[in-house]
Amino acid sequence: MQRPLWCCTAHVDETEDRCVSAAFQPLPHVVLSTKYEPPWLQISKNMKDILEKHGCSVYNPNTDNEAANKHEADAQWLRTFNRHLEVVKQTKGFVLQIQQGAKRERTDMQLAEEKQAGWLQVPRIGIYAFAEEFPLEGTVVETSLIRAIDMAKEQWDHGIAKGVMMCSEIWETVQFTVDAVGSVTGPAKVKFPDGATMEGYFVRGLKHGSCRYQSRDGRVELGLYSMDVPIVEIHRSTSGNFFKFKDGEELEQISPKEAEEIQQGYVLPPW
């Protein structure tokens, strides 16, 4: 039997309805969990291209199910999806859940797919996507997809996470606009994959104006920026000490009173 293009290094025994290992090391297989309607159809195609570029085989239900099953696509959809989940486990890949828009919406189908993948104990990685079509290669989306591959490897080495882990930044407010390459302009709050948060004003994805950053361990940075270049920046460490920074380098430790004067003088956000 000829090996299907969707798998590249493993094939499915249709009689036994199970995955059979190839004689060589398989590529990590990724199953996309995504909405079908525009723009998500094209976004899913673009993400598949990037993942394949970085060494994965990818199953996109939006396109590959019909290509494989022709007129039986609808009837075979769930069975085909489950077979690809088995390939994910066999090759130590992951399920990529494409979450839609500023509210990170997921369809009922995606929630069901998330549960199926959880039962099989394979990594479920989430990526936030704007509800607009724009080129993804060379943008923060490609960076996030590379991070997803690394996160899946980490889970296979150290234990599969119980829920969906985000590989992308999450823009949590809706007052901003998005340009043709996916960069944000306007007031926004962003949550990073490591749990850190940043809130402020952005121009084409760059900090512009006052901004507050907090790391997962509780370190806080307040600053005033011009297109990502700090005009003034002060930090409060996890131990409660204050420091004044310039160009990302620590200048000196300052007193709480000095920190308050800088904060008020430059109208920085509250700690």
Side-chain angles (χ1 to χ4, degrees), residues 204-267:
R204 298 193 295 279
L206 304 176
K207 300 188 294 291
H208 190 70
S210 62
C211 188
R212 181 185 189 274
Y213 169 88
Q214 181 168 339
S215 67
R216 185 176 181 177
D217 63 6
R219 178 173 53 87
V220 178
E221 303 173 6
L222 306 181
L224 182 65
Y225 302 88
S226 175
M227 301 303 287
D228 240 21
V229 177
I231 297 170
V232 65
E233 193 175 66
I234 52 177
H235 295 194
R236 185 182 67 192
S237 69
T238 54
S239 60
N241 295 318
F242 295 87
F243 298 87
K244 184 178 179 181
F245 279 63
K246 183 178 181 181
D247 297 332
E249 296 185 3
E250 184 174 310
L251 290 182
E252 58 181 336
Q253 184 172 346
I254 58 177
S255 68
K257 182 178 180 181
E258 289 175 292
E260 182 180 0
E261 290 174 349
I262 294 172
Q263 179 187 4
Q264 293 180 354
Y266 285 92
V267 197

Side-chain angles (χ1 to χ4, degrees), residues 61-132:
N62 283 346
T63 55
D64 301 337
N65 177 46
E66 184 175 357
N69 297 310
K70 309 302 184 205
H71 62 280
E72 295 184 352
D74 289 342
Q76 290 288 332
W77 183 90
L78 185 57
R79 189 177 181 187
T80 302
F81 191 88
N82 285 339
R83 286 201 300 269
H84 281 278
L85 286 183
E86 292 175 355
V87 180
V88 168
K89 185 149 191 171
Q90 177 191 24
T91 62
K92 295 187 176 180
F94 60 97
V95 173
L96 182 73
Q97 184 182 80
I98 303 174
Q99 302 177 357
Q100 298 107 29
K103 295 183 180 180
R104 296 172 54 211
E105 294 173 345
R106 296 166 293 167
T107 65
D108 289 336
M109 183 71 76
Q110 285 182 285
L111 293 174
E113 292 166 353
E114 178 184 329
K115 183 166 287 189
Q116 282 179 263
W119 288 335
L120 197 58
Q121 293 188 306
V122 300
R124 291 161 290 173
I125 311 294
I127 185 166
Y128 166 90
F130 295 115
E132 299 181 31

Side-chain angles (χ1 to χ4, degrees), residues 110-201:
Q110 285 182 285
L111 293 174
E113 292 166 353
E114 178 184 329
K115 183 166 287 189
Q116 282 179 263
W119 288 335
L120 197 58
Q121 293 188 306
V122 300
R124 291 161 290 173
I125 311 294
I127 185 166
Y128 166 90
F130 295 115
E132 299 181 31
E133 290 186 25
F134 49 81
L136 303 183
E137 191 170 355
T139 69
V140 292
V141 177
E142 182 167 11
T143 302
S144 296
L145 291 173
I146 295 170
R147 186 183 296 120
I149 296 170
D150 292 336
M151 290 172 65
K153 290 178 182 176
E154 180 77 12
Q155 288 192 38
W156 284 114
D157 289 341
H158 301 288
I160 305 301
K162 293 182 179 180
V164 176
M165 304 297 291
M166 297 300 296
C167 68
S168 63
E169 294 84 359
I170 303 166
W171 296 87
E172 297 184 337
T173 53
V174 295
Q175 291 86 359
F176 55 78
T177 60
V178 183
D179 66 17
V181 294
S183 297
V184 167
T185 293
K189 181 177 181 180
V190 57
K191 183 176 181 180
F192 297 97
D194 64 0
T197 60
M198 183 180 293
E199 188 168 7
Y201 196 90

